[in-house]
Amino acid sequence: MRPPEPFSRTRHNDAPSSKHLDVENSLATYLDAYPRRITIQHWQLRDLIHCPNRAGEIYAVNRRRILRHDLDSGRSEVACELPFEPTSMTVRHGYLAAGGQSSQLEIRRSPPSPFAPHTLSLPPPPSGPSDSIFKGHCGGSVNNALRVAQDASHQQRLFVCNNDDTVKIFSLSTGTLISTVHCPVAINHCALSPDGKNMVCVGDNRHTYVYVATPTGYRINTVYTENNDCGDVL
C-alpha cells in the first residue's frame, strides 16, 4: 500500500488574497491552504474533515481510509482502515467514529498521535481488538453526521444523525445503543449544549428542533422556523 500523500502547503501567491477577507469582522483569519485528496459519497454530506483536541492535527477521509496529518511536521499517516467509504466522520475526546451510506458504523478509540513531540521517533501504536468499540450496522439508512458530546449524565456519547428520522445515542464505554430520539424529519446534523441538557437538530427543511434532556431521554421542546432550508448549519 502506498503511504498517504502529505498535505502540500499552497504558496502564498496562490492563496486567497487578504483584500478579499474581512479579517476585522470574521471569526478566523486565513493562514495557509493544504490541498488534500478528500473523497465524498454524497452530494450534500461534507462532514469529512475534523480537527480534534490537539492543535495542528487534521483528520480527513480518503475513500476507505481516515488519514491523520500533522501541520507542524508535514507528516501524514493512516489512522483507520474501514470496510466502507464514509459519509460522515468525527474525532473527539479520544474517540474516532465513521458512518456509512447503508447505516454502517464503526467506533474505535483513537490511538495517541505519533506526531506528538515525545513520540516523533516512534512508530504509531498497533491497533487491536481492544481499540474497537462498535463495528457493524446501527439500523436505518444513511448516517448523515456523527457527534461525540457529553450528555446530561456527564458521560461522553456518540450521537448518530440518521436519514431514518432519528438520532441514535451510543455509549462510548460499551458500544451499545442506549437511546433513540425520533424526529419529524431526516436529521443532517445535531449539536449539544456544554452541559448536555439541550440538543439542537436540523434536517432537510426550514425548522430547527430543540430537544431537552429528561430522565428517559431527549424530548422536543421548541421548534424555530427559518426563511430558508436549515439543512446543515450547526
Side-chain angles (χ1 to χ4, degrees):
M1 179 184 298
R2 292 187 303 171
E5 300 171 5
F7 282 74
S8 57
R9 180 172 293 183
T10 297
R11 299 190 307 272
H12 286 285
N13 57 357
D14 292 336
S17 171
S18 60
K19 68 181 181 181
H20 298 301
L21 300 176
D22 188 359
V23 175
E24 191 169 318
N25 296 314
S26 64
L27 296 177
T29 57
Y30 175 83
L31 180 62
D32 270 309
Y34 297 85
R36 184 70 207 179
R37 193 171 297 158
I38 299 172
T39 54
I40 61 172
Q41 299 306 310
H42 191 279
W43 68 278
Q44 282 182 313
L45 304 176
R46 297 289 193 275
D47 199 17
L48 297 172
I49 182 166
H50 280 270
C51 298
N53 301 88
R54 199 176 81 84
E57 196 171 73
I58 292 176
Y59 284 72
V61 167
N62 181 281
R63 301 198 180 279
R64 295 190 175 193
R65 304 186 299 179
I66 296 177
L67 305 179
R68 176 165 48 191
H69 177 73
D70 182 74
L71 298 182
D72 296 326
S73 67
R75 294 171 56 195
S76 298
E77 69 149 11
V78 177
C80 179
E81 295 273 5
L82 298 165
F84 58 90
E85 298 191 21
T87 54
S88 53
M89 181 267 288
T90 189
V91 183
R92 197 73 176 166
H93 301 300
Y95 298 98
L96 186 155
Q101 185 80 23
S102 302
S103 85
Q104 303 100 319
L105 181 65
E106 186 155 334
I107 313 169
R108 60 174 63 187
R109 294 174 184 85
S110 180
S113 171
F115 306 130
H118 63 282
T119 61
L120 278 178
S121 60
L122 300 177
S127 59
S130 61
D131 297 322
S132 180
I133 298 172
F134 179 92
K135 189 174 184 178
H137 291 73
C138 64
S141 181
V142 185
N143 286 323
N144 293 329
L146 307 173
R147 169 83 67 169
V148 173
Q150 176 181 277
D151 69 0
S153 69
H154 308 295
Q155 300 296 313
Q156 295 294 339
R157 309 294 192 193
L158 178 68
F159 294 77
V160 181
C161 301
N162 194 275
N163 224 44
D164 67 349
D165 303 358
T166 68
V167 176
K168 299 174 173 68
I169 305 174
F170 281 79
S171 165
L172 287 172
S173 59
T174 64
T176 56
L177 177 65
I178 60 174
S179 181
T180 299
V181 182
H182 294 275
C183 307
V185 67
I187 298 300
N188 289 341
H189 220 300
C190 74
L192 280 290
S193 60
D195 60 6
K197 293 182 179 179
N198 293 280
M199 177 174 67
V200 182
C201 301
V202 292
D204 289 332
N205 61 18
R206 299 166 53 204
H207 306 305
T208 299
Y209 303 95
V210 181
Y211 290 78
V212 63
T214 72
T216 57
Y218 286 88
R219 65 169 176 81
I220 196 163
N221 183 50
T222 308
V223 179
Y224 296 99
T225 302
E226 302 295 332
N227 290 328
N228 299 307
D229 183 356
C230 293
D232 189 8
V233 296
L234 297 179

